[in-house]
Amino acid sequence: MVSKEFFERLNIKNIYFRSFGGITTILRPENFTTEKTTVVCGNELPEKGILTIDTENKTSLQKSRIEIFVSVIKDFSMNNSYTLFFEDPLPQDFEKELTIINDILRKSDSRREFRYDIGMNNWNTFGLARPDLNLLFANGAIKCIISNASIHGAMLTGNRSMIKIGDKASLICDFEKEKLKLPGIVISAESAVSGYFRYSLRFLEPLSLSWCNHIVEYGDYLENQLY
């Protein structure tokens, strides 16, 4: 499913399908490229129609509407799932930002299994504003550092706490240019050296685009150091 952050990056306020007969259907995109989008909706869609995207820039409050003629193919393996193929080009600025986002998703997907060391030696290279982060959970918060990280989660080292396996927790990452709150599930909690504990946090879907981009850029940086 397309994430809330995806909509925010593209300034999308509403997205819906309008038939030539004037019937409007709200859409929930599952993916979105420059050529097509796969959506889930509550109504049966005809073979042709107009994809309408209302946008609003939160900074300038400027509003606009994108209207694209589309051909519709129903996915009979899933209820109420359709692929909408664009018959018109997207606006240039919208297409450019969409291409950047999908490039992040493509690169992050190729790095799903990679885990990168960060710790006290590389936190600033990773782009963090400070090495110590906050891990929030139901009973409070602890200070921790990211020992290593991947697209899907992070291994944290911090003080002993009441955190248990299966608990929900959120990692607050202060990057130099932004602050991210990454919700996840604790999948391991064990004793480490000198009285500290290690906590493995698996991030909840949909993953943060900004987090994925930080991992991709950090991975690219490390690979370039090898050559």
Side-chain angles (χ1 to χ4, degrees):
M1 183 176 64
V2 173
S3 68
K4 178 182 178 183
E5 189 180 0
F6 184 97
F7 283 98
E8 291 175 346
R9 288 279 294 267
L10 291 167
N11 295 320
I12 295 176
K13 189 174 182 180
N14 297 301
I15 180 167
Y16 49 94
F17 177 91
R18 192 170 76 251
S19 71
F20 294 134
I23 298 174
T24 298
T25 303
I26 300 298
L27 304 178
R28 190 185 73 194
E30 297 290 306
N31 59 61
F32 206 119
T33 72
T34 56
E35 293 84 25
K36 63 183 179 180
T37 178
T38 300
V39 302
V40 175
C41 62
N43 296 338
E44 191 83 10
L45 298 184
E47 294 182 354
K48 297 281 187 178
I50 302 171
L51 175 67
T52 303
I53 304 170
D54 290 332
T55 68
E56 182 178 8
N57 188 301
K58 291 185 177 180
T59 302
S60 65
L61 300 181
Q62 181 179 357
K63 298 180 180 180
S64 63
R65 173 168 290 179
I66 301 169
E67 293 185 325
I68 309 167
F69 287 101
V70 293
S71 298
V72 180
I73 301 294
K74 183 174 183 179
D75 183 354
F76 290 96
S77 66
M78 296 180 62
N79 291 331
N80 302 321
S81 179
Y82 299 85
T83 299
L84 280 53
F85 293 90
F86 307 152
E87 296 185 2
D88 296 321
L90 294 168
Q92 188 173 5
D93 290 346
F94 187 91
E95 182 176 358
K96 181 180 179 180
E97 186 63 26
L98 180 59
T99 300
I100 292 172
I101 292 172
N102 282 320
D103 190 51
I104 293 172
L105 293 174
R106 178 183 58 80
K107 288 182 177 180
S108 62
D109 189 62
S110 69
R111 297 178 183 271
R112 293 174 78 89
E113 306 305 322
F114 287 81
R115 186 170 287 273
Y116 300 102
D117 290 332
I118 299 175
M120 293 300 295
N121 294 324
N122 299 315
W123 59 269
N124 54 344
T125 305
F126 184 52
L128 292 170
R130 52 190 298 166
D132 56 315
L133 310 174
N134 287 313
L135 182 65
L136 310 181
F137 58 105
N139 295 319
I142 61 169
K143 290 288 186 181
C144 61
I145 63 168
I146 300 180
S147 299
N148 56 66
S150 69
I151 293 292
H152 287 279
M155 179 68 74
L156 311 170
T157 302
N159 295 325
R160 184 170 184 171
S161 70
M162 300 299 291
I163 298 176
K164 304 183 299 298
I165 295 174
D167 283 353
K168 292 182 178 180
S170 292
L171 181 63
I172 308 300
C173 290
D174 290 312
F175 286 98
E176 292 177 355
K177 296 183 179 180
E178 63 182 340
K179 185 174 184 177
L180 301 182
K181 183 177 182 180
L182 306 170
I185 298 290
V186 177
I187 59 174
S188 70
E190 57 188 17
S191 178
V193 296
S194 303
Y196 288 98
F197 260 60
R198 284 192 296 262
Y199 305 97
S200 183
L201 186 67
R202 184 181 67 217
F203 300 136
L204 297 177
E205 302 277 355
L207 298 171
S208 164
L209 284 173
S210 293
W211 172 260
C212 291
N213 193 42
H214 282 292
I215 291 290
V216 167
E217 290 183 344
Y218 186 58
D220 288 344
Y221 170 81
L222 293 179
E223 288 179 3
N224 289 334
Q225 302 309 300
L226 299 176
Y227 301 99

mmCIF file of all heavy atoms in Angstrom, residues 165-189:
data_model
loop_
_atom_site.group_PDB
_atom_site.id
_atom_site.type_symbol
_atom_site.label_atom_id
_atom_site.label_comp_id
_atom_site.label_asym_id
_atom_site.label_seq_id
_atom_site.Cartn_x
_atom_site.Cartn_y
_atom_site.Cartn_z
ATOM 1 N N ILE A 165 10.018 -8.643 24.350
ATOM 2 C CA ILE A 165 9.807 -9.091 22.969
ATOM 3 C C ILE A 165 8.316 -9.005 22.634
ATOM 4 O O ILE A 165 7.477 -9.440 23.409
ATOM 5 C CB ILE A 165 10.329 -10.524 22.778
ATOM 6 C CG1 ILE A 165 11.846 -10.556 22.971
ATOM 7 C CG2 ILE A 165 9.960 -11.061 21.394
ATOM 8 C CD1 ILE A 165 12.442 -11.946 22.934
ATOM 9 N N GLY A 166 8.026 -8.418 21.491
ATOM 10 C CA GLY A 166 6.641 -8.257 21.072
ATOM 11 C C GLY A 166 6.062 -6.885 21.395
ATOM 12 O O GLY A 166 4.983 -6.537 20.910
ATOM 13 N N ASP A 167 6.776 -6.099 22.211
ATOM 14 C CA ASP A 167 6.297 -4.750 22.545
ATOM 15 C C ASP A 167 6.402 -3.825 21.334
ATOM 16 O O ASP A 167 7.319 -3.945 20.517
ATOM 17 C CB ASP A 167 7.133 -4.154 23.691
ATOM 18 C CG ASP A 167 6.758 -4.718 25.049
ATOM 19 O OD1 ASP A 167 5.765 -5.462 25.119
ATOM 20 O OD2 ASP A 167 7.469 -4.409 26.016
ATOM 21 N N LYS A 168 5.479 -2.891 21.252
ATOM 22 C CA LYS A 168 5.572 -1.838 20.250
ATOM 23 C C LYS A 168 6.471 -0.723 20.786
ATOM 24 O O LYS A 168 6.409 -0.391 21.966
ATOM 25 C CB LYS A 168 4.194 -1.285 19.907
ATOM 26 C CG LYS A 168 3.296 -2.275 19.181
ATOM 27 C CD LYS A 168 1.963 -1.642 18.818
ATOM 28 C CE LYS A 168 1.081 -2.622 18.055
ATOM 29 N NZ LYS A 168 -0.228 -2.030 17.697
ATOM 30 N N ALA A 169 7.281 -0.158 19.917
ATOM 31 C CA ALA A 169 8.181 0.926 20.313
ATOM 32 C C ALA A 169 8.441 1.810 19.096
ATOM 33 O O ALA A 169 8.259 1.375 17.957
ATOM 34 C CB ALA A 169 9.493 0.368 20.864
ATOM 35 N N SER A 170 8.855 3.035 19.347
ATOM 36 C CA SER A 170 9.160 3.964 18.258
ATOM 37 C C SER A 170 10.548 4.543 18.460
ATOM 38 O O SER A 170 10.869 5.032 19.549
ATOM 39 C CB SER A 170 8.137 5.101 18.213
ATOM 40 O OG SER A 170 6.862 4.625 17.828
ATOM 41 N N LEU A 171 11.351 4.486 17.414
ATOM 42 C CA LEU A 171 12.699 5.049 17.448
ATOM 43 C C LEU A 171 12.644 6.479 16.903
ATOM 44 O O LEU A 171 12.147 6.715 15.804
ATOM 45 C CB LEU A 171 13.644 4.204 16.597
ATOM 46 C CG LEU A 171 15.105 4.658 16.551
ATOM 47 C CD1 LEU A 171 15.751 4.580 17.930
ATOM 48 C CD2 LEU A 171 15.889 3.830 15.536
ATOM 49 N N ILE A 172 13.137 7.424 17.697
ATOM 50 C CA ILE A 172 13.180 8.823 17.291
ATOM 51 C C ILE A 172 14.581 9.133 16.775
ATOM 52 O O ILE A 172 15.547 9.105 17.538
ATOM 53 C CB ILE A 172 12.833 9.776 18.453
ATOM 54 C CG1 ILE A 172 11.514 9.356 19.107
ATOM 55 C CG2 ILE A 172 12.765 11.212 17.957
ATOM 56 C CD1 ILE A 172 10.321 9.367 18.183
ATOM 57 N N CYS A 173 14.682 9.393 15.475
ATOM 58 C CA CYS A 173 15.980 9.649 14.847
ATOM 59 C C CYS A 173 16.111 11.132 14.506
ATOM 60 O O CYS A 173 15.334 11.659 13.700
ATOM 61 C CB CYS A 173 16.124 8.826 13.563
ATOM 62 S SG CYS A 173 16.313 7.062 13.831
ATOM 63 N N ASP A 174 17.084 11.783 15.086
ATOM 64 C CA ASP A 174 17.372 13.181 14.775
ATOM 65 C C ASP A 174 18.453 13.234 13.705
ATOM 66 O O ASP A 174 19.647 13.156 14.005
ATOM 67 C CB ASP A 174 17.830 13.929 16.029
ATOM 68 C CG ASP A 174 16.714 14.115 17.027
ATOM 69 O OD1 ASP A 174 15.623 14.537 16.609
ATOM 70 O OD2 ASP A 174 16.926 13.842 18.217
ATOM 71 N N PHE A 175 18.020 13.346 12.457
ATOM 72 C CA PHE A 175 18.971 13.540 11.376
ATOM 73 C C PHE A 175 19.276 15.029 11.255
ATOM 74 O O PHE A 175 18.585 15.872 11.833
ATOM 75 C CB PHE A 175 18.407 12.996 10.061
ATOM 76 C CG PHE A 175 18.408 11.490 9.987
ATOM 77 C CD1 PHE A 175 17.262 10.768 10.280
ATOM 78 C CD2 PHE A 175 19.552 10.808 9.623
ATOM 79 C CE1 PHE A 175 17.260 9.385 10.219
ATOM 80 C CE2 PHE A 175 19.560 9.421 9.554
ATOM 81 C CZ PHE A 175 18.415 8.710 9.852
ATOM 82 N N GLU A 176 20.297 15.360 10.514
ATOM 83 C CA GLU A 176 20.724 16.748 10.411
ATOM 84 C C GLU A 176 19.645 17.647 9.806
ATOM 85 O O GLU A 176 19.533 18.816 10.160
ATOM 86 C CB GLU A 176 22.016 16.832 9.583
ATOM 87 C CG GLU A 176 23.217 16.199 10.292
ATOM 88 C CD GLU A 176 24.469 16.222 9.447
ATOM 89 O OE1 GLU A 176 24.372 16.652 8.263
ATOM 90 O OE2 GLU A 176 25.539 15.815 9.927
ATOM 91 N N LYS A 177 18.839 17.108 8.896
ATOM 92 C CA LYS A 177 17.849 17.932 8.210
ATOM 93 C C LYS A 177 16.401 17.557 8.532
ATOM 94 O O LYS A 177 15.484 18.216 8.047
ATOM 95 C CB LYS A 177 18.066 17.849 6.694
ATOM 96 C CG LYS A 177 19.395 18.423 6.242
ATOM 97 C CD LYS A 177 19.522 18.385 4.730
ATOM 98 C CE LYS A 177 20.832 18.979 4.273
ATOM 99 N NZ LYS A 177 20.969 18.945 2.784
ATOM 100 N N GLU A 178 16.189 16.526 9.311
ATOM 101 C CA GLU A 178 14.822 16.107 9.612
ATOM 102 C C GLU A 178 14.810 15.210 10.844
ATOM 103 O O GLU A 178 15.839 14.667 11.258
ATOM 104 C CB GLU A 178 14.203 15.360 8.428
ATOM 105 C CG GLU A 178 14.927 14.060 8.077
ATOM 106 C CD GLU A 178 14.337 13.368 6.871
ATOM 107 O OE1 GLU A 178 13.177 13.655 6.521
ATOM 108 O OE2 GLU A 178 15.029 12.514 6.280
ATOM 109 N N LYS A 179 13.625 15.071 11.414
ATOM 110 C CA LYS A 179 13.430 14.213 12.566
ATOM 111 C C LYS A 179 12.399 13.148 12.190
ATOM 112 O O LYS A 179 11.307 13.486 11.728
ATOM 113 C CB LYS A 179 12.943 15.034 13.766
ATOM 114 C CG LYS A 179 12.816 14.233 15.060
ATOM 115 C CD LYS A 179 12.476 15.168 16.209
ATOM 116 C CE LYS A 179 12.440 14.419 17.533
ATOM 117 N NZ LYS A 179 12.171 15.339 18.669
ATOM 118 N N LEU A 180 12.759 11.879 12.386
ATOM 119 C CA LEU A 180 11.871 10.787 12.015
ATOM 120 C C LEU A 180 11.409 10.029 13.250
ATOM 121 O O LEU A 180 12.185 9.804 14.185
ATOM 122 C CB LEU A 180 12.583 9.801 11.076
ATOM 123 C CG LEU A 180 13.116 10.342 9.748
ATOM 124 C CD1 LEU A 180 13.748 9.212 8.950
ATOM 125 C CD2 LEU A 180 12.009 11.012 8.947
ATOM 126 N N LYS A 181 10.148 9.632 13.232
ATOM 127 C CA LYS A 181 9.610 8.744 14.245
ATOM 128 C C LYS A 181 9.273 7.431 13.561
ATOM 129 O O LYS A 181 8.384 7.384 12.705
ATOM 130 C CB LYS A 181 8.366 9.345 14.909
ATOM 131 C CG LYS A 181 7.803 8.476 16.032
ATOM 132 C CD LYS A 181 6.606 9.148 16.698
ATOM 133 C CE LYS A 181 6.074 8.305 17.845
ATOM 134 N NZ LYS A 181 4.903 8.952 18.497
ATOM 135 N N LEU A 182 10.013 6.370 13.916
ATOM 136 C CA LEU A 182 9.904 5.094 13.222
ATOM 137 C C LEU A 182 9.262 4.054 14.138
ATOM 138 O O LEU A 182 9.921 3.492 15.016
ATOM 139 C CB LEU A 182 11.289 4.621 12.782
ATOM 140 C CG LEU A 182 12.094 5.625 11.936
ATOM 141 C CD1 LEU A 182 13.518 5.154 11.768
ATOM 142 C CD2 LEU A 182 11.429 5.836 10.590
ATOM 143 N N PRO A 183 7.975 3.766 13.957
ATOM 144 C CA PRO A 183 7.304 2.767 14.793
ATOM 145 C C PRO A 183 7.721 1.346 14.416
ATOM 146 O O PRO A 183 7.982 1.057 13.239
ATOM 147 C CB PRO A 183 5.818 3.007 14.493
ATOM 148 C CG PRO A 183 5.800 3.596 13.133
ATOM 149 C CD PRO A 183 7.055 4.404 12.999
ATOM 150 N N GLY A 184 7.814 0.491 15.428
ATOM 151 C CA GLY A 184 8.227 -0.878 15.161
ATOM 152 C C GLY A 184 7.819 -1.839 16.261
ATOM 153 O O GLY A 184 7.120 -1.483 17.210
ATOM 154 N N ILE A 185 8.274 -3.071 16.113
ATOM 155 C CA ILE A 185 8.041 -4.140 17.078
ATOM 156 C C ILE A 185 9.388 -4.654 17.574
ATOM 157 O O ILE A 185 10.298 -4.907 16.769
ATOM 158 C CB ILE A 185 7.259 -5.310 16.434
ATOM 159 C CG1 ILE A 185 5.879 -4.846 15.974
ATOM 160 C CG2 ILE A 185 7.124 -6.470 17.410
ATOM 161 C CD1 ILE A 185 4.919 -4.543 17.085
ATOM 162 N N VAL A 186 9.533 -4.824 18.876
ATOM 163 C CA VAL A 186 10.758 -5.379 19.452
ATOM 164 C C VAL A 186 10.763 -6.884 19.215
ATOM 165 O O VAL A 186 9.853 -7.595 19.642
ATOM 166 C CB VAL A 186 10.845 -5.080 20.962
ATOM 167 C CG1 VAL A 186 12.096 -5.729 21.555
ATOM 168 C CG2 VAL A 186 10.859 -3.579 21.206
ATOM 169 N N ILE A 187 11.769 -7.382 18.498
ATOM 170 C CA ILE A 187 11.813 -8.818 18.192
ATOM 171 C C ILE A 187 12.899 -9.549 18.977
ATOM 172 O O ILE A 187 12.950 -10.778 18.980
ATOM 173 C CB ILE A 187 11.991 -9.058 16.680
ATOM 174 C CG1 ILE A 187 13.273 -8.413 16.158
ATOM 175 C CG2 ILE A 187 10.783 -8.532 15.916
ATOM 176 C CD1 ILE A 187 13.559 -8.739 14.694
ATOM 177 N N SER A 188 13.762 -8.779 19.656
ATOM 178 C CA SER A 188 14.706 -9.414 20.579
ATOM 179 C C SER A 188 15.169 -8.381 21.591
ATOM 180 O O SER A 188 15.246 -7.189 21.295
ATOM 181 C CB SER A 188 15.912 -10.016 19.837
ATOM 182 O OG SER A 188 16.752 -9.008 19.323
ATOM 183 N N ALA A 189 15.481 -8.862 22.797
ATOM 184 C CA ALA A 189 15.987 -8.006 23.874
ATOM 185 C C ALA A 189 16.899 -8.873 24.729
ATOM 186 O O ALA A 189 16.442 -9.838 25.347
ATOM 187 C CB ALA A 189 14.846 -7.438 24.705
#
